[in-house]
């Protein structure tokens, strides 16, 4: 290593290859060592109308193309050190809440007791939701994902409070919108349901997914809801950009699915935040002609970039503190600055311009940080 770093020619293939890699990564060109797989065959072409893709997969590509390639195409995942579960994970809390609400709505639909236009959930609905939640809680306990019993006791109590508050919040919102509950878990592209087809320039994209809840206002407007148990911070830019640079693609396709399933013309879709300080917050988008054009253009850019092998690493602007923000850009959580500077150099490559214009528009405006 000392001889190689001093410039001595060791006539070693490994050393020569390492020098090629380092020089390529330090250059301004977007090379194969930076994720340029433009000459590789067999990459998925989602614009051909044959493969089905989820909005979350395309969101992952927009967030970090390199991570998408390694995680979703190569199926390489970071090794996790086994550790004792002390407290239930946030993702498992979200799953429990989703499953409880889905079970309640499904039962009510089967029994013909879904609330009609502006009608509140009944006392029996409240009682049944609590019963379902407790049944789910026991199931999660048996699976061993709830952590220490003392901590789980407090978490379970909070989940019951959250679910009770959800019904009250839903009552107030539907009273304001004069809306009736139509159903839960609107599935498309899975379990035998046909995918949603989104036309784009030069093809069409087939999409799969599942929307959590569908209501209908008295004026016929369809209202599609995606329940979120996390924080709303990353979703606030939806006010200015309904696709948030390609990283928020769920709501428009949920609206497409609802319009097809319930034969409606006017459709709104929203994120509904149901926990902690964001409980009751709703962030909507309206599926109009402008959003349809923007959505189609966004999908076109993303699926075309995947097919052309544009898998540049895109670390976040600032490093994560206390956690590894992207284990594919900075596997050990060290070296974020180097990875970020490399991305800043590469993102100006002409071949990346269409993708960067979508996922990092400030870069083309001359911002180098």
């Amino acid at each position: 290593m000392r001889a190689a770093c001093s410039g001595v020619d060791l006539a070693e293939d490994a050393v020569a290859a390492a020098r090629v890699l380092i020089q390529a990564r330090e250059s301004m060109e977007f090379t194969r060592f930076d994720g340029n797989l433009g000459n590789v065959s067999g990459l998925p072409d989602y614009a051909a109308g044959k493969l089905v893709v989820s909005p979350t997969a395309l969101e992952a590509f927009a967030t970090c193309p390199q991570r998408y390639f390694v995680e979703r195409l190569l199926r390489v995942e970071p090794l996790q050190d086994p550790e004792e579960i002390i407290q239930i994970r946030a993702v498992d809390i979200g799953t429990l809440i989703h499953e409880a609400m889905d079970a309640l709505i499904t039962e009510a639909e089967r029994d013909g007791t879904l609330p009609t236009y502006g009608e509140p959930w009944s006392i029996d609905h409240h009682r049944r939701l609590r019963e379902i939640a407790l049944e789910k809680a026991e199931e999660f306990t048996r699976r061993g994902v709830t952590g220490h019993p003392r901590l789980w006791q407090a978490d379970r109590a909070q989940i019951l409070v959250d679910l009770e508050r959800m019904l009250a919040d839903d009552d107030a919102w539907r009273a304001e919108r004069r809306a009736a509950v139509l159903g839960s878990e609107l599935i498309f592209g899975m379990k035998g349901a046909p995918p949603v087809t989104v036309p784009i320039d030069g093809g069409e994209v087939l999409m799969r997914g599942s929307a959590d809840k569908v209501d209908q206002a008295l004026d016929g407007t369809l209202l599609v809801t995606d329940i979120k148990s996390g924080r709303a911070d990353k979703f606030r830019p939806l006010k200015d950009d309904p696709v948030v640079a390609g990283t928020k693609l769920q709501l428009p396709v949920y609206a497409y699915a609802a319009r097809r399933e319930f034969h409606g013309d006017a459709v709104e879709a929203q994120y509904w935040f149901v926990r902690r300080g964001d409980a009751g917050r709703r962030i909507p988008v309206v599926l109009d002609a402008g959003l349809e054009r923007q959505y189609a253009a966004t999908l076109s850019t993303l699926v075309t970039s995947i097919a052309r092998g544009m898998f540049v690493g895109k670390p976040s602007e600032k490093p994560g503190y206390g956690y590894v923000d992207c284990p594919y850009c900075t596997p050990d959580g060290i070296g974020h600055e180097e990875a970020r500077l490399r991305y800043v150099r590469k993102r100006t490559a002409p071949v990346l311009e269409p993708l960067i214009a979508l996922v990092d528009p400030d870069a083309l405006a001359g911002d180098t940080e």
Side-chain angles (χ1 to χ4, degrees):
M1 289 295 295
R2 187 178 299 116
C5 291
S6 66
V8 175
D9 185 3
L10 299 179
E12 289 283 347
D13 292 342
V15 174
R19 283 190 171 129
V20 171
L21 181 148
I22 293 170
Q23 291 169 1
R25 286 188 169 178
E26 290 180 347
S27 73
M28 299 295 291
E29 296 180 9
F30 179 45
T31 72
R32 64 189 180 98
F33 300 107
D34 310 302
N36 186 350
L37 302 184
N39 296 324
V40 175
S41 62
L43 294 173
D45 182 5
Y46 295 113
K50 295 181 180 179
L51 300 176
V52 181
V53 65
S54 68
T56 52
L58 296 180
E59 289 175 354
F61 177 76
T63 302
C64 179
Q66 177 176 286
R67 177 171 187 157
Y68 168 88
F69 172 72
V70 179
E71 184 177 38
R72 297 194 177 244
L73 297 188
L74 298 185
R75 301 190 182 280
V76 176
E77 297 182 359
L79 290 175
Q80 301 290 343
D81 292 331
E83 59 184 16
E84 183 180 1
I85 298 176
I86 302 300
Q87 189 169 16
I88 186 172
R89 299 180 304 166
V91 65
D92 291 320
I93 291 177
T95 298
L96 196 158
I97 288 174
H98 279 79
E99 290 183 357
M101 282 296 294
D102 174 48
L104 174 69
I105 296 173
T106 300
E107 285 188 12
E109 184 178 12
R110 181 194 63 204
D111 299 338
T113 62
L114 285 175
T116 59
Y117 299 101
E119 180 185 9
W121 293 95
S122 68
I123 294 177
D124 288 339
H125 288 136
H126 282 258
R127 174 187 55 78
R128 182 57 186 142
L129 180 59
R130 182 181 178 85
E131 292 174 350
I132 292 171
L134 290 173
E135 292 168 3
K136 295 288 182 183
E138 287 300 316
E139 176 187 332
F140 277 48
T141 301
R142 289 193 298 271
R143 286 166 44 192
V145 300
T146 54
H148 192 282
R150 290 287 180 86
L151 295 176
W152 172 229
Q153 185 178 14
D155 287 330
R156 184 181 64 175
Q158 183 60 52
I159 290 170
L160 294 176
V161 171
D162 291 335
L163 287 167
E164 182 70 19
R165 185 167 50 194
M166 284 175 67
L167 291 188
D169 181 61
D170 192 59
D171 286 344
W173 173 75
R174 286 187 300 100
E176 179 183 350
R177 297 301 304 262
R178 300 190 67 187
V181 181
L182 294 185
S184 174
E185 292 299 324
L186 174 59
I187 295 173
F188 53 96
M190 304 183 297
K191 300 180 180 180
V196 167
T197 301
V198 182
I200 64 172
D201 288 341
E204 58 186 21
V205 180
L206 306 183
M207 305 191 73
R208 66 170 178 263
S210 175
D212 294 324
K213 183 171 177 281
V214 183
D215 301 86
Q216 187 171 38
L218 193 60
D219 63 3
T221 301
L222 293 171
L223 307 166
V224 192
T225 299
D226 186 47
I227 298 172
K228 294 294 184 186
S229 56
R231 298 184 61 84
D233 296 352
K234 294 183 179 180
F235 295 83
R236 291 192 175 97
L238 282 163
K239 295 184 298 182
D240 302 315
D241 177 6
V243 297
V244 190
T247 63
K248 296 290 179 284
L249 302 174
Q250 292 175 286
L251 293 187
V253 74
Y254 292 167
Y256 275 110
R259 187 167 63 184
R260 183 186 68 185
E261 180 70 17
F262 297 100
H263 309 290
D265 293 323
V267 190
E268 297 178 19
Q270 63 179 346
Y271 292 114
W272 177 23
F273 298 87
V274 298
R275 301 200 78 221
R276 309 296 185 186
D278 290 315
R281 181 185 295 274
R282 294 172 187 264
I283 301 179
V285 300
V286 178
L287 186 64
D288 55 19
L291 177 54
E292 289 191 47
R293 287 191 297 270
Q294 182 179 4
Y295 195 65
T298 299
L299 295 187
S300 179
T301 297
L302 294 177
V303 300
T304 300
S305 298
I306 291 173
R308 292 178 177 173
M310 302 292 101
F311 300 111
V312 63
K314 185 177 177 291
S316 58
E317 292 187 21
K318 298 180 180 179
Y321 294 98
Y323 66 98
V324 178
D325 183 58
C326 179
Y328 298 90
C329 292
T330 54
D332 54 6
I334 302 173
H336 175 275
E337 183 178 359
E338 179 184 350
R340 180 67 188 180
L341 288 175
R342 184 163 61 244
Y343 164 68
V344 169
R345 287 196 301 268
K346 304 300 177 178
R347 67 184 181 181
T348 58
V351 70
L352 285 172
E353 184 173 345
L355 176 61
I356 298 302
L358 170 65
V359 303
D360 192 3
D362 289 341
L364 301 183
D367 183 3
T368 58
E369 293 294 332

